[in-house]
Amino acid sequence: MLNKIIIMGRLTRDPELRRTQSGTAVTSFSVACDRDFKSQSGEKETDFIDVVAWRNTAEFVSKYFSKGRMAVVEGRLQIRDWTDREGGKRRSAEVVADNVYFGDSKRDGGGEYGGGSYGAPPAYGAPAAGGRTSGFGGESDFAEISEEDGNLPF
């Protein structure tokens, strides 16, 4: 079975970082995604998609993202059934984020880093678990190869 979703949009509010009773970090936020087509009235419509992130991804989002920031969210769609205060049965859909990436640059949307993710191995600019950075502005996991080296693997 496959349940994979990728969305890109702007955060509609600041992420809310909370902790479970066991201390696990969880962050909730909403992303506004414009549709690719216009309605019959000629207006572009927008979908507001709820997202939840857990553990390190939750801490990363709450630290580096804020309202209006462009985000790319990679995760899975989850449907939850619940009961409201009046006893009515309700159903809601949300994206459970595996990875969250910057969708804009520091110039465009603010923030400390120019791009990156958390949840998967860090992309350029995102802080790694040990505090190291990969790519810009810090110690790198990559070594430079001289152009004269004739034994390149490609």
Side-chain angles (χ1 to χ4, degrees):
M1 306 290 167
L2 179 65
N3 182 355
K4 181 136 182 137
I5 187 167
I6 299 172
I7 58 173
M8 179 176 180
R10 296 202 179 272
L11 273 67
T12 62
R13 65 182 194 277
D14 289 340
E16 303 168 20
L17 179 66
R18 300 179 312 278
R19 300 224 177 244
T20 64
Q21 289 181 348
S22 63
T24 304
V26 59
T27 299
S28 303
F29 57 99
S30 181
V31 176
C33 300
D34 289 336
R35 294 185 182 175
D36 290 337
F37 54 89
K38 294 181 180 178
S39 66
Q40 289 181 347
S41 65
E43 302 276 329
K44 272 211 168 191
E45 293 184 11
T46 303
D47 293 306
F48 298 91
I49 301 170
D50 293 327
V51 180
V52 63
W54 293 87
R55 298 173 186 78
N56 290 340
T57 305
E59 291 176 2
F60 174 75
V61 170
S62 69
K63 185 173 182 179
Y64 295 107
F65 286 83
S66 59
K67 180 179 178 179
R69 188 79 197 253
M70 183 72 74
V72 178
V73 178
E74 177 185 36
R76 63 183 170 85
L77 185 63
Q78 175 176 283
I79 308 296
R80 289 189 304 124
D81 293 317
W82 51 283
T83 305
D84 63 19
R85 292 181 182 156
E86 289 79 39
K89 299 285 185 188
R90 305 291 233 160
R91 175 173 272 201
S92 59
E94 64 190 1
V95 174
V96 179
D98 294 324
N99 299 295
V100 178
Y101 304 90
F102 292 116
D104 54 11
S105 67
K106 182 177 176 182
R107 285 187 310 269
D108 297 337
E112 188 174 340
Y113 295 96
S117 72
Y118 204 93
Y124 60 92
R132 296 174 58 185
T133 59
S134 179
F136 297 112
E139 189 176 334
S140 174
D141 294 332
F142 301 100
E144 191 166 330
I145 299 174
S146 167
E147 289 185 25
E148 286 91 35
D149 187 358
N151 296 324
L152 293 177
F154 49 86

